[in-house]
Amino acid sequence: MTGAKAREIIGDLPLPCVELASLKADMLTCAERVGGAADHEGLRTELRDLRWTLQSLPADEAASRCSALTNELRTQPKPQACWNLGNG
C-alpha cells in the first residue's frame, strides 16, 4: 500500500490522523524491505476501522488520539534500510 492510498482511506480526518496513516504505510514498506511480513490488506482494514472509530469524535479528540498513536510508533527503532522513509 502506498502512502497516498493510506491517506485516501483516512479521508478528511484531522492532519495528525493523515500523518499516522502515512507512517503506517512507511512501516509496511519498511517491513517489505527488510524481508518481513507485509500485510497490505490488514493495514487497509486497520485504517478503515480507525477512520470509522474516529470520524464520530470531535476533531480535536481524534487529532489527539492520532498524535498519541503516531508518537508511540515513532519510538520504535527504524532499520537502516528504511531511513529514507518518512521523517520519523
Side-chain angles (χ1 to χ4, degrees), residues 2 14 17 33 43 83 85:
T2 65
C17 299
R33 280 189 186 177
L43 180 57
W83 285 356
L85 293 173

Side-chain angles (χ1 to χ4, degrees), residues 6-82:
R7 291 185 296 276
E8 179 183 323
I9 292 169
I10 285 297
D12 59 356
L13 287 175
L15 187 58
C17 299
V18 174
E19 182 182 7
L20 175 63
S22 292
L23 178 59
K24 285 186 167 284
D26 285 346
M27 292 175 80
L28 187 74
T29 300
C30 182
E32 287 179 319
R33 280 189 186 177
V34 298
D39 184 2
H40 291 267
E41 190 57 41
L43 180 57
R44 274 188 205 90
T45 300
E46 180 183 350
L47 292 173
R48 286 180 187 135
D49 290 349
L50 183 67
R51 179 176 181 185
W52 186 84
T53 301
L54 296 176
Q55 67 187 0
S56 63
L57 299 175
D60 59 338
E61 187 176 340
S64 178
R65 287 190 186 188
C66 289
S67 290
L69 290 169
T70 300
N71 290 337
E72 183 179 316
L73 289 175
R74 292 213 167 161
T75 65
Q76 299 176 9
K78 184 187 288 189
Q80 186 174 359
C82 304

